[in-house]
Amino acid sequence: MRFFQLASILVLFSAAFACGPQPTSDAHFVVLPSPTSFEITGSSKLAISDVDESFKRAKDIFVSGKDPLSLQKEELVFSLDPASGIASEGYELVISSDKVEIKASSKAGLWYGLMTVSQLLEDAKDQNVPLPLCKITDTPALAYRAVHLDVKHHLEKKEYYYELMDRFAAQKINAVIVEVEDKLGYELQPKVASSDAFSITDWKAISDYAMARNIRISPLVQGLGHASFILKHDEYKPLRDDPQSDWAFNPLDENTYKVQFDLYEDALKAFPYANYLHVGGDEVHTTGRNSGKSPLELQLTWLNRVSEYAAQKGLTPIFWDDMPLKNAEVYNSIYNGKLSEAQVDSIWSANETNLNEYVGMFPKNCVYMRWNYDAPESPGNIRAMKWFADNGLKVMGATAGQTRWNLLPQDQSNTNNIRDFALISIRNKADGLLLTLWDDDSPHFELYGRGIAIFAEYTWAGDKRNTEELHAAYRQRAFGPALAGAEMEFINRLEEPVAFWKNALLNKKKDRNRLKTLENPLEEAIIPFPNTDSAGAWTQKYAEKVSTAQANQAQIDSVLQLIQESKKLAVRNTYTLEVYEQVAQAAQFSNRALITLAELDEPSGEKKAQAEAKLAGMREEWTAIQSQLETVYGKTRQLHKPADYILDQDHHVHLANQALKFSDWQFYAEGLFLEKVDSELKK
């Protein structure tokens, strides 16, 4: 199976983009992320096959660690000049009549020039046209462009992570932070590891592979809070801050640090090229154990200990920054979009002393990661970042390609928020930005692809294209030129129907994620069926829901038709299209179910009989949908948790944390609905 080889932007052969004579073809060459400049002056005479062979040899040389300058007699020529003035990861690329030249001041720059060549070659082959005569100059807007891989609730199949590193490299992403939790086979604290965890050797092999592609992987080992993967085990219960909760460590117990440092030690063996140690630290309150210390003082006590450890290892610690801001009572000003700048200033003026009282305890070697997935441009968010900077503390942003969305990322893959935080980071001359990809409700990873491409674009190139242009560029890079046009857009059209799907089969104000918390979810949460003695009453009560289901059914039907057409036209990554297809089919079942219930509520005996027949076939219909979805998902994903896996207390109601078997958490609502169908049919 072949996965993404993403990488470039939509560059049309038009007067707006080119200088001098135009090429004879009407081909579209798309480089993602966008180069700083791209001038096309015609069509080259180079044989595509020759350049392609040179490219393959050059790539092999790079990833094997050899000297790319040895390729001087090829069609592809490299020039390394540290005194050239080209930025560290920047490059200059010239395609002339007889060769392709890449010049850079660093090996990383040569590598990224080669990645751009791969995209130009791909477009030339896809469209059966020559390479363009062109000159590209390019340099990244942010130095650190990192993707967060959250594997706490499931692992992909091992080979998939190698595929991901190739995709990230093609998009000029240069860092990954892996939130390993119990998916690393710890040797110093072996009880913590899940039985399906990758070994230290496994993760190191992935790290080696990534580093050969200019991607440095660093670990995130949760600490203080989010510690359920450790504290759920009987052996570690004495380290709990609250004996009844597996959420947080006691920061005053020396054994807390013995365990955490052991986990760090093994994580750093697995990720030996790490330059950061992400220590977590978010969303946690500690009791203080009658110590007289404030919550902020307790957290900073812990942060200083783990930051000292990182310093001893020559690493920079990263810390989620939310709890100091919450303890100082300024956090809400960040997310209240109705507040003016003056109102935010007033809140900070009244409460900033709560931070300033402890400013001397904030470790200076730490990066304070200002995560904001909703309002990165809010005055409160900017004010928080300014406080860290004004006090000599390093601050970096974190945006999201996936938050708590079920089945499918929403908000056009969070395009606007990724863009806004990237542009803020560029304006403030930040070191970089992190794209978080949370696994809490665990959509298939293929569905994160567009968000990753959006992040790659804005962190490398800044604001060079609008949303529609960027989404078109993604489609061309992901699937080929035939899918680049606006008429082939289907992801955005699928978002609202999937958002509706989440709670479509539930009563009002009931939430799919919280079904497992109910005493009797079948009766409390699943939508009731029509009463045959009062025909029409059900339809009247649920008119809005039925109307939405009807509209969504038509929408999804058109999306499924478009996906079928796309599968025929795509020249690569048809697997991604298959995953989207399965998402659409799963969502469509809920629409059909609601429409069938409305038909069951009809006074007409004939319609009711037809509806009863449909109802009788629903379990078989859903079984087929679920089976096909699991078959497709299972090509790259480890679907189920091990039989011996211990679920934790699920403090944050993570859907993917609520059962061992994939269908028992992902489609628990559908299972309950079908139980109700069976009960109805027995009446």
Side-chain angles (χ1 to χ4, degrees), residues 472-610:
Y474 161 75
R475 291 194 299 275
Q476 177 153 337
R477 286 271 52 85
F479 309 114
L483 272 66
E487 72 281 359
M488 302 305 291
E489 167 58 53
F490 65 85
I491 303 174
N492 294 341
R493 295 169 61 189
L494 193 54
E495 285 187 4
E496 281 191 22
V498 170
F500 174 75
W501 158 85
K502 181 186 176 186
N503 297 323
L505 299 178
L506 308 183
N507 260 325
K508 192 174 183 180
K509 296 185 179 179
K510 298 299 181 183
D511 181 75
R512 179 179 288 258
N513 284 60
R514 298 183 179 276
L515 291 176
K516 298 270 187 179
T517 68
L518 302 177
E519 188 173 334
N520 187 350
L522 184 64
E523 296 304 320
E524 294 178 57
I526 300 300
I527 193 169
F529 283 22
N531 187 330
T532 54
D533 295 331
S534 54
W538 185 94
T539 304
Q540 184 175 357
K541 181 177 180 179
Y542 296 103
E544 183 178 351
K545 186 164 271 199
V546 172
S547 175
T548 303
Q550 290 168 336
N552 285 343
Q553 184 180 48
Q555 180 91 323
I556 291 180
D557 278 345
S558 69
V559 166
L560 285 168
Q561 186 176 355
L562 192 52
I563 290 174
Q564 285 300 316
E565 185 179 349
S566 297
K567 285 163 70 175
K568 294 174 185 175
L569 295 172
V571 293
R572 53 188 166 271
N573 297 315
T574 54
Y575 176 67
T576 309
L577 298 172
E578 291 174 13
V579 175
Y580 276 109
E581 183 177 34
Q582 297 311 308
V583 169
Q585 294 284 14
Q588 191 71 301
F589 175 81
S590 295
N591 297 323
R592 284 196 294 267
L594 289 170
I595 293 167
T596 299
L597 292 181
E599 292 169 350
L600 194 66
D601 193 40
E602 289 275 353
S604 163
E606 182 181 352
K607 281 197 172 183
K608 191 178 296 183
Q610 292 172 346

Side-chain angles (χ1 to χ4, degrees), residues 90-161:
Y91 63 92
E92 293 177 358
L93 168 63
V94 176
I95 300 179
S96 59
S97 58
D98 60 346
K99 61 186 172 182
V100 178
E101 298 176 273
I102 301 173
K103 181 179 180 180
S105 63
S106 68
K107 188 177 178 182
L110 296 179
W111 170 253
Y112 287 137
L114 188 66
M115 292 298 94
T116 296
V117 170
S118 74
Q119 298 165 37
L120 299 177
L121 276 169
E122 196 168 63
D123 279 344
K125 289 184 285 186
D126 288 347
Q127 299 168 86
N128 195 27
V129 297
L131 284 167
L133 293 171
C134 65
K135 180 178 180 180
I136 293 175
T137 60
D138 207 3
T139 189
L142 291 174
Y144 186 72
R145 307 173 301 281
V147 170
H148 160 256
L149 299 182
D150 176 15
V151 300
K152 65 175 172 284
H153 293 312
H154 86 283
L155 283 165
E156 313 297 337
K157 292 185 176 178
K158 204 171 298 177
E159 59 270 21
Y160 191 73
Y161 291 102

Side-chain angles (χ1 to χ4, degrees), residues 342-602:
Q343 289 171 314
V344 168
D345 286 344
S346 176
I347 292 170
W348 274 78
S349 295
N351 295 287
E352 190 174 342
T353 53
N354 299 331
L355 280 173
N356 293 341
E357 180 181 354
Y358 296 103
V359 70
M361 286 187 69
F362 282 75
K364 296 286 187 180
N365 68 323
C366 190
V367 169
Y368 296 85
M369 189 158 270
R370 173 80 296 276
W371 56 283
N372 192 321
Y373 310 147
D374 301 311
E377 287 198 309
S378 73
N381 193 57
I382 293 169
R383 179 65 184 264
M385 296 179 78
K386 184 176 184 296
W387 182 87
F388 287 109
D390 286 350
N391 284 283
L393 304 172
K394 293 176 280 191
V395 62
M396 188 187 298
T399 182
Q402 164 65 16
T403 58
R404 292 301 307 270
W405 292 311
N406 300 73
L407 206 58
L408 179 73
Q410 298 285 300
D411 295 345
Q412 298 193 39
S413 304
N414 217 21
T415 297
N416 290 345
N417 285 307
I418 293 171
R419 177 198 63 213
D420 291 348
F421 219 148
L423 298 183
I424 289 169
S425 300
I426 293 167
R427 285 199 302 269
N428 292 334
K429 302 186 187 310
D431 291 334
L433 188 67
L434 176 69
L435 179 74
T436 58
L437 298 171
W438 295 108
D439 193 41
D440 304 338
D441 301 310
S442 210
H444 194 287
F445 201 93
E446 287 295 291
L447 308 177
Y448 298 167
R450 186 173 68 167
I452 295 168
I454 290 163
F455 173 81
E457 168 74 12
Y458 287 122
T459 53
W460 178 278
D463 197 14
K464 289 186 71 94
R465 59 152 54 95
N466 63 36
T467 297
E468 290 74 22
E469 291 167 337
L470 181 49
H471 291 181
Y474 161 75
R475 291 194 299 275
Q476 177 153 337
R477 286 271 52 85
F479 309 114
L483 272 66
E487 72 281 359
M488 302 305 291
E489 167 58 53
F490 65 85
I491 303 174
N492 294 341
R493 295 169 61 189
L494 193 54
E495 285 187 4
E496 281 191 22
V498 170
F500 174 75
W501 158 85
K502 181 186 176 186
N503 297 323
L505 299 178
L506 308 183
N507 260 325
K508 192 174 183 180
K509 296 185 179 179
K510 298 299 181 183
D511 181 75
R512 179 179 288 258
N513 284 60
R514 298 183 179 276
L515 291 176
K516 298 270 187 179
T517 68
L518 302 177
E519 188 173 334
N520 187 350
L522 184 64
E523 296 304 320
E524 294 178 57
I526 300 300
I527 193 169
F529 283 22
N531 187 330
T532 54
D533 295 331
S534 54
W538 185 94
T539 304
Q540 184 175 357
K541 181 177 180 179
Y542 296 103
E544 183 178 351
K545 186 164 271 199
V546 172
S547 175
T548 303
Q550 290 168 336
N552 285 343
Q553 184 180 48
Q555 180 91 323
I556 291 180
D557 278 345
S558 69
V559 166
L560 285 168
Q561 186 176 355
L562 192 52
I563 290 174
Q564 285 300 316
E565 185 179 349
S566 297
K567 285 163 70 175
K568 294 174 185 175
L569 295 172
V571 293
R572 53 188 166 271
N573 297 315
T574 54
Y575 176 67
T576 309
L577 298 172
E578 291 174 13
V579 175
Y580 276 109
E581 183 177 34
Q582 297 311 308
V583 169
Q585 294 284 14
Q588 191 71 301
F589 175 81
S590 295
N591 297 323
R592 284 196 294 267
L594 289 170
I595 293 167
T596 299
L597 292 181
E599 292 169 350
L600 194 66
D601 193 40
E602 289 275 353

Side-chain angles (χ1 to χ4, degrees), residues 221-236:
V221 180
Q222 282 284 11
L224 195 55
H226 283 276
S228 297
F229 71 105
I230 305 165
L231 300 177
K232 67 183 180 181
H233 296 290
D234 290 340
E235 293 89 331
Y236 298 101

